[in-house]
Amino acid sequence: MKSSISLVCALGCLSMAAHALEIYVDPAGSDANSGTKDEPMASLAAAQKKAREVAGKEMVTVHFADGIYYLPETVVFKASDSGTEKCPVVYKAVNEGGAVLSGGAKLNLQWKPYKNGIFKANTPKGLEIDQLFINGKNQRMARYPNYDPEKKTAAYQGYAADAFSKQRAESWADPTGGYIHAMHKSRWGGYHYRITGKNGSGEVTYEGGWQNNRQMGMHKDYRMVENIFEELDAPGEWFHNSKTSTLYYKPMEGVDLDAATVEVVRLRHLVEFKGTETAPVRFVTLQGFTIRHAARTFMDCKEPLLRSDWAIYRGGAFMLTGTENVSILDCEFDQVGGNAVFVNNYNRNTLVKGCHIHDVGASGVCFVGDPNAVRDPLFEYHETNDLSKIDRTPGPKTDNYPSLGTVEDCLIHGIGRVERQPAGVQLSMASEITVRDCSIYDCARAGINVSEGTWGGHLIERCDVFDTVLETHDHGSFNSWGRDRFWHKDRAYSQKEINKDPNLPFLDAVKTTTIRNSRWRCDHGWDIDLDDGSSNYDIYNNLMLSEGVKGGLKFREGFRRHAWNNITVNNGFHPHVWYDASKDQVYSNIFMTPHKPARMTKPYTDGTMVDRNLYAVDRAAVMKVSNKTGWDKNSVYGDPMFVDPSTGDFRVKEGSPAFEVGFKNFPMDQFGVKKPSLKAQALTPEIPAVGAAKGEASSASAHTMKWQDATLGDLSGEEFSAYGVSEEEGGVTVSGLNRKSKLARAGFENGDLIQAINGRPVKNVKQFNQVIRKMTGEVKFKGVRNQQVIELTVSL
């Protein structure tokens, strides 16, 4: 019987192959043609209409000849465009990269000299220009301060505190329509604002600032404005006056405007898949295209992603909703203005493979589910649940989220050219997403970001992620949060409820996320950063290369994080603010510095283990920390005996003491993209020389003082992150508080951070002492508790 069924299936496949439909498209063709090789159609829309006639009944392949296909409107695939497993529908470029899908339009302009090297041209009436491309390269709106490519890690590659000051704006005739871009106060991403004009006193007015889910205001220095006519003064800058339909442009050296190709952007989304869970778009493949000219979307980045730091715009150059087995293969996403690929709500078995995603305004690939699928969802850091009343059913309420998707063998770089809270790959309210064999670098924020624990099961393997968190702060090449149902900003409250129900942290993080066999380097944050509440992780066979003050492996506030067989070159383990009985297990690793804890001064041993590691550092230095936490009683010390660290081979030689703690060598030549054409272009991280870690923060330099029956201390090292404040802000910590003291009676608690006295900022003990000694009577203190502002008054 089985043989008969197999024969029938085989004959069916042969029959369908014999009746496969081949459609040909060429920019020089005509939609009136039949679509044969000799009579090609001209547009994707016409080919789609013809393919739809037999979709699901026959195999369909649509071949696109080289050339630019300017899309008059977004191409929409619906359930009626679906193929089947045996009869898929494939839209593919004849030559990979040769067929360009453009969401823009080509302009034929007559340029005339204006002044100071600037040219001008009349544009079609009613035209709005979001981005301007000259000979395929995205140009810059007129801005202040000017863009400096040498300032790779500076905010916006050029910033100024007076970017939109009243004095600066005096020379602006009408700034309406300009934009303000500003970093978050603590550099946790950025904000964007649209200028609405000037008020009666000459000050700039604006709207926006909703792009970040940690609303704390813009940074006082890291600011930039663009789309201001009077700031057009640098080669490559442009300004479009839509009222007079005039485009002004100062060309780069060597550009012949009379011969140049001038293109502008019109569409936000070039391709959309619009299905549903009950009627999905199935078995459609897009292969080998170059994708260009998708509009920027930063002013519509408004939706908070639960309690993560993110807000999101649901959309991208390719937007997928309600699909099954849709594949995006071998495509190049070139300078798109927002997200490149957005996998939205219900999607299953999405495959993004062999793609080159670069110089994008926002994120590379996003998998984002429906918050209505989350039980007891909250939408901002300070929102809290009553843990005695939450739904304790594990997992999602519905299936309206991405699952079983894969990003594989991709080269992803130049992430966040416009927005400053992006990621190469972003996961939120999704399950069992695989990121494999990807090279991800040159990112304003994280390379890979997991916004919360919902619902875990992700696999990240054989990736090469580096040069991340370039303009921001307090983040990692891999970053995650876990502010799930169990998590509360008052950690003691969460701890009390978790003690009653140890399963609480796993109601959302129901499946284990695995990070393995990958290489990480983040010189401006941590290599792997499991932040607030991140739980249920297995982390093994990772090489971490950052040798900065941070770097290495960080665990903050979470449960069941197992880390073994990892190597942190010139760095180590960063435990921050742990719960009791977290059940974390950290063993068989090679660390090269003592642990760098933050706000951890007691034993953490109840089902928790940090032990049997190799340290390439003096035992006394390690145990100075570990004696307080009850760790490393069976760890060993010595030279790891790396095979050839100068070439990046950090396997250990026979006889290494690492083998005594159970360490096993893992491959050092399998990180990153494998596709030959992409591997030839991919960069790799700088390999550090093995030795003393650089940039070490010295706790010896931190000062303390006794005051009002309490100990006050400077912040140092990891503590800035633990308190959620920047080094520019600083503050003074409160510890050893006498419960009968004036401070305690006024409401102070151990662990509080003082940042101002009667409105005067104090960033360290020295400043505190200078300010407080002059104070008498009712004194107002402003500070931070659980990353929230507090204000208390003390009578002195």
Side-chain angles (χ1 to χ4, degrees), residues 350-606:
T350 307
L351 177 61
V352 180
K353 184 175 182 180
C355 292
H356 186 189
I357 301 172
H358 64 94
D359 299 295
V360 301
S363 294
V365 184
C366 301
F367 292 85
V368 181
D370 177 9
N372 290 320
V374 180
R375 300 179 190 275
D376 297 308
L378 297 172
F379 296 94
E380 200 274 334
Y381 179 90
H382 295 296
E383 290 188 4
T384 56
N385 277 316
D386 182 340
L387 296 182
S388 68
K389 298 179 181 179
I390 61 170
D391 182 347
R392 302 224 173 186
T393 307
K397 288 194 295 186
T398 74
D399 291 330
N400 198 26
Y401 57 88
S403 183
L404 302 172
T406 300
V407 182
E408 183 173 354
D409 209 8
C410 291
L411 174 56
I412 303 173
H413 60 100
I415 300 301
R417 292 297 192 232
V418 178
E419 301 179 30
R420 294 302 188 268
Q421 188 72 284
V425 179
Q426 158 71 352
L427 310 179
S428 176
M429 297 170 283
S431 176
E432 297 178 280
I433 306 299
T434 295
V435 185
R436 174 186 294 129
D437 294 330
C438 290
S439 293
I440 305 174
Y441 54 88
D442 190 8
C443 303
R445 204 93 172 105
I448 299 173
N449 187 73
V450 178
S451 280
E452 64 283 314
T454 52
W455 288 277
H458 310 307
L459 172 61
I460 295 152
E461 63 178 353
R462 297 196 302 269
C463 290
D464 201 10
V465 188
F466 58 98
D467 279 357
T468 56
V469 196
L470 291 180
E471 299 173 55
T472 54
H473 176 68
D474 202 18
H475 214 52
S477 283
F478 174 88
N479 182 82
S480 66
W481 294 287
R483 299 167 188 156
D484 302 329
R485 269 179 278 178
F486 83 93
W487 189 87
H488 197 284
K489 62 186 181 183
D490 182 349
R491 196 170 68 261
Y493 174 59
S494 285
Q495 184 76 68
K496 181 180 177 182
E497 294 300 318
I498 293 165
N499 290 344
K500 298 176 187 176
D501 182 3
N503 193 51
L504 204 56
F506 308 103
L507 296 180
D508 291 311
V510 290
K511 298 177 181 177
T512 302
T513 290
T514 299
I515 306 173
R516 67 187 184 194
N517 296 302
S518 295
R519 182 168 63 185
W520 311 87
R521 178 164 184 164
C522 183
D523 290 338
H524 305 275
W526 292 274
D527 296 327
I528 297 178
D529 182 358
L530 271 59
D531 209 354
D532 300 349
S534 298
S535 298
N536 206 357
Y537 278 80
D538 282 349
I539 302 173
Y540 61 94
N541 293 4
N542 292 280
L543 176 63
M544 290 167 259
L545 297 176
S546 175
E547 50 186 350
V549 174
K550 296 175 182 176
L553 176 64
K554 172 189 159 188
F555 287 178
R556 176 178 174 131
E557 293 179 337
F559 289 83
R560 202 220 156 273
R561 284 84 56 93
H562 291 184
W564 72 95
N565 223 70
N566 302 288
I567 303 170
T568 60
V569 178
N570 298 339
N571 215 299
F573 183 48
H574 304 247
H576 287 197
V577 199
W578 281 19
Y579 288 99
D580 294 333
S582 66
K583 304 298 189 289
D584 291 326
Q585 306 281 310
V586 181
Y587 60 94
S588 300
N589 301 286
I590 298 176
F591 295 137
M592 298 186 70
T593 66
H595 306 313
K596 300 175 184 176
R599 301 178 67 184
M600 295 181 62
T601 57
K602 67 177 185 178
Y604 293 85
T605 55
D606 184 4

Side-chain angles (χ1 to χ4, degrees), residues 634-712:
N634 301 290
S635 291
V636 300
Y637 304 85
D639 182 356
M641 300 170 59
F642 295 127
V643 170
D644 189 0
S646 64
T647 63
D649 188 349
F650 287 91
R651 292 176 298 162
V652 297
K653 300 174 184 176
E654 184 177 352
S656 168
F659 295 127
E660 297 176 26
V661 294
F663 181 84
K664 297 179 181 178
N665 279 320
F666 56 93
M668 295 286 162
D669 58 356
Q670 296 297 309
F671 307 124
V673 66
K674 307 296 189 298
K675 182 178 174 182
S677 62
L678 296 181
K679 189 172 183 178
Q681 301 177 62
L683 300 181
T684 56
E686 180 183 351
I687 303 300
V690 174
K694 298 178 182 177
E696 285 289 320
S698 173
S699 58
S701 63
H703 296 91
T704 62
M705 65 177 285
K706 295 287 187 179
W707 184 75
Q708 292 291 335
D709 290 330
T711 299
L712 307 184

